[in-house]
Amino acid sequence: MNAESRSGADLLVTAAEIARSVGVTRAAVSGWRRRHADFPAPVGGGTRNVLFVLSEVHTWLDRHRRSDPGEVLLWQALRRTYGDDMTRGVAGIADLFVTGAAASLDDEIASQATALAAESSPSEVVAGLTARLAGSAVPEHVTGPRLIRAVKHFAGQAHGVVFDPACGIGSLLLALGDGCGVAGQELDPAAARLAGSRARLAGRGDVTIRTGDSLRADGWPELRAPLVVCDPPVNAPDWGREDLLLDARWELGVPTRAEGELAWLQHCYAHVAPAGRAILVMPPAVAHREAGRHIRAELVRRGLLTQLVALPPGMAAKHDQPVHLWLLARPASPDDAVSSVRMVDLTANDPDGPLTPTPGQVVDVPLVELLDETVDLTPARHVAASRSDRLAQYASLREDLAHRLHELLTLLPPLTAGPGTLDAARMSIEDQRLYGAAFRALDEFERQVKELADLGEQAASMARDGLTSGAIRPQ
């Protein structure tokens, strides 16, 4: 049933019908649902074709200005002209408002944009188009609002210069750099132009965005910032390894072709000032992939990684998979290096819920415990291990040891004086049976003594670790 055939205040519509009425793609509606906690909740339908109350959707659209017919017409004109390259179209409109020149726009689009800005403001027009850009195409260089909120939460208050070497259209950088100097670099020229224009339209004269490949051609070689943030490109087929093998930035080791994320991590760390911090968005696989084990080990060994946070699914604009936040710090002196890494597991949380972990979601892991054969830094693994009941485990082991010790006494056969040297040929069948049983009992006793030694070593190790961590205490 279509929306047109329904009546009443509680008309129900599908996502496809919402998209048609507003003039956007169905993917745009899915993006709004994923990134905006206040988008109306579905009230019916199946998993593939959910239904929404039309009046609630209209209220939400009005609140977010997505039902503005002028904005819809402008967006449709941009789509007809630029197709999938909508970043370039929105950047052209932002350039028009900043410079007054419409060289990259046709006259119809420039006229529509100017008329729409007269009704509100240039910055509101660009903000609306940027929101549509993030909600429809979801390009690689757009960081969604949920992820921005998480980065802001764990980065804390920024002071001095904030730097983002893969800033995209500038959403993360501008959100973190409020009241600070801002520097960024972006490979895509249109995205870099849009980031710079958004800053100027917001009255930010302290923002400088440079264009270029940050890994191959660092546009800020001398910059050392108190805070570096980055949502780097992932799964890049070629991050430039062959051209950068001897680069000084790889102080933790040269990443493999498959570990481009660890190249971005080291690039960001190279730009961190003494006593400064970096916070990066990473795929979960970076925490445990075999190819990155040596770099992870060096990062931990030097005490540079301070915290690793596993965020809930649905935080990223590009996909619904979980992501991690890696927090690094450059010690002002060797004595400032950390002795443990804080592991936070928020994967079970609502993506729009609180970001402060409960006591059961966080654990401080000593560096030495992370430096095993795998150097697996997955937070869930360490948080789960910290929640184990060491006291109950130790009590169970102790009881098992006592039981096994009692059993050992019964395994030793009772022996009496014998005739001396045995003559097996003259032994009776009964004597052969008795001697055979005694030797088998001694073999079993010896075997169980060895098992008991292993069990005792396990109990002692568990008790020692529990006492050291404070999980258990002596009676």
Side-chain angles (χ1 to χ4, degrees), residues 120-336:
S120 54
S121 70
S123 60
E124 287 188 38
V125 172
V126 172
L129 294 175
T130 300
R132 285 180 179 273
L133 178 67
S136 57
V138 192
E140 181 70 19
H141 41 259
V142 174
T143 301
R146 282 175 171 167
L147 197 50
I148 291 173
R149 180 175 74 96
V151 174
K152 286 185 68 174
H153 176 84
F154 287 99
Q157 183 62 44
H159 301 283
V161 175
V162 179
F163 176 55
D164 185 347
C167 66
I169 64 173
S171 300
L172 178 60
L173 185 60
L174 296 175
L176 269 291
D178 188 17
C180 303
V182 172
Q185 185 166 344
E186 169 55 38
L187 176 62
D188 183 86
R193 282 170 35 226
L194 179 53
S197 295
R198 291 176 68 194
R200 287 188 286 275
L201 287 170
R204 299 286 300 274
D206 55 353
V207 177
T208 304
I209 309 295
R210 294 176 181 171
T211 304
D213 186 328
S214 289
L215 296 183
R216 288 186 172 91
D218 189 356
W220 300 89
E222 306 301 323
L223 177 63
R224 302 294 180 267
L227 178 61
V228 179
V229 296
C230 191
D231 179 12
V234 298
N235 300 322
D238 179 17
W239 57 266
R241 184 179 191 275
E242 286 69 21
D243 301 326
L244 300 169
L245 286 174
L246 300 179
D247 198 289
R249 288 171 292 182
W250 318 140
E251 59 178 287
L252 304 177
V254 181
T256 66
R257 284 179 62 90
E259 292 289 341
E261 295 89 355
L262 291 178
W264 281 102
L265 181 145
Q266 294 190 75
H267 173 74
C268 289
Y269 186 71
H271 283 282
V272 176
R277 301 168 295 132
I279 180 166
L280 292 93
V281 180
M282 290 285 188
V286 181
H288 62 79
R289 274 195 301 235
E290 170 64 22
R293 178 171 61 90
H294 294 295
I295 293 177
R296 293 196 303 271
E298 194 64 20
L299 186 69
V300 170
R301 188 176 294 112
R302 296 191 187 190
L304 310 182
L305 180 66
T306 62
Q307 190 171 180
L308 209 156
V309 183
L311 295 174
M315 299 292 288
K318 310 175 187 69
H319 52 76
D320 290 326
Q321 301 304 310
V323 294
H324 289 174
L325 297 182
W326 291 49
L327 281 71
L328 285 67
R330 182 179 290 279
S333 69
D335 295 335
D336 293 334

Side-chain angles (χ1 to χ4, degrees), residues 266-436:
Q266 294 190 75
H267 173 74
C268 289
Y269 186 71
H271 283 282
V272 176
R277 301 168 295 132
I279 180 166
L280 292 93
V281 180
M282 290 285 188
V286 181
H288 62 79
R289 274 195 301 235
E290 170 64 22
R293 178 171 61 90
H294 294 295
I295 293 177
R296 293 196 303 271
E298 194 64 20
L299 186 69
V300 170
R301 188 176 294 112
R302 296 191 187 190
L304 310 182
L305 180 66
T306 62
Q307 190 171 180
L308 209 156
V309 183
L311 295 174
M315 299 292 288
K318 310 175 187 69
H319 52 76
D320 290 326
Q321 301 304 310
V323 294
H324 289 174
L325 297 182
W326 291 49
L327 281 71
L328 285 67
R330 182 179 290 279
S333 69
D335 295 335
D336 293 334
V338 299
S339 59
S340 64
V341 176
R342 173 155 292 187
M343 295 290 181
V344 180
D345 181 18
L346 302 178
T347 52
N349 289 21
D350 188 310
D352 296 306
L355 293 167
T356 301
T358 64
Q361 293 177 315
V362 59
V363 61
D364 292 326
V365 184
L367 303 187
V368 67
E369 293 187 15
L370 298 173
L371 295 172
D372 56 14
E373 293 183 356
T374 60
V375 198
D376 189 338
L377 304 181
T378 304
R381 174 190 178 191
H382 299 283
V383 172
S386 73
R387 291 201 295 261
S388 62
D389 190 341
R390 296 194 183 186
L391 180 58
Q393 292 173 351
Y394 175 72
S396 176
L397 274 174
R398 194 171 183 274
E399 183 179 348
D400 193 13
L401 274 169
H403 178 69
R404 296 289 290 274
L405 283 169
H406 178 72
E407 282 187 337
L408 280 176
L409 292 176
T410 65
L411 287 176
L412 283 174
L415 303 174
T416 61
T421 303
L422 292 175
D423 185 350
R426 295 184 179 181
M427 289 177 63
S428 67
I429 294 177
E430 178 62 19
D431 283 343
Q432 291 179 22
R433 185 186 67 78
L434 290 173
Y435 274 84

Side-chain angles (χ1 to χ4, degrees), residues 47-197:
T47 56
R48 293 181 174 271
N49 204 26
V50 295
L51 297 172
F52 304 87
V53 176
L54 181 60
S55 60
E56 293 179 359
V57 174
H58 279 167
T59 300
W60 186 88
L61 290 169
D62 290 338
R63 187 164 63 249
H64 288 264
R65 298 189 67 251
R66 298 193 187 272
S67 59
D68 187 328
E71 185 179 300
V72 171
L73 293 174
L74 178 57
W75 182 258
Q76 292 173 337
L78 287 170
R79 185 172 291 281
R80 286 194 301 270
T81 302
Y82 294 96
D84 292 334
D85 192 13
M86 293 295 284
T87 302
R88 189 162 62 92
V90 177
I93 290 177
D95 290 343
L96 168 66
F97 293 147
V98 170
T99 66
S104 61
L105 297 173
D106 64 34
D107 293 341
E108 176 190 355
I109 292 177
S111 177
Q112 284 182 265
T114 302
L116 190 58
E119 298 174 4
S120 54
S121 70
S123 60
E124 287 188 38
V125 172
V126 172
L129 294 175
T130 300
R132 285 180 179 273
L133 178 67
S136 57
V138 192
E140 181 70 19
H141 41 259
V142 174
T143 301
R146 282 175 171 167
L147 197 50
I148 291 173
R149 180 175 74 96
V151 174
K152 286 185 68 174
H153 176 84
F154 287 99
Q157 183 62 44
H159 301 283
V161 175
V162 179
F163 176 55
D164 185 347
C167 66
I169 64 173
S171 300
L172 178 60
L173 185 60
L174 296 175
L176 269 291
D178 188 17
C180 303
V182 172
Q185 185 166 344
E186 169 55 38
L187 176 62
D188 183 86
R193 282 170 35 226
L194 179 53
S197 295

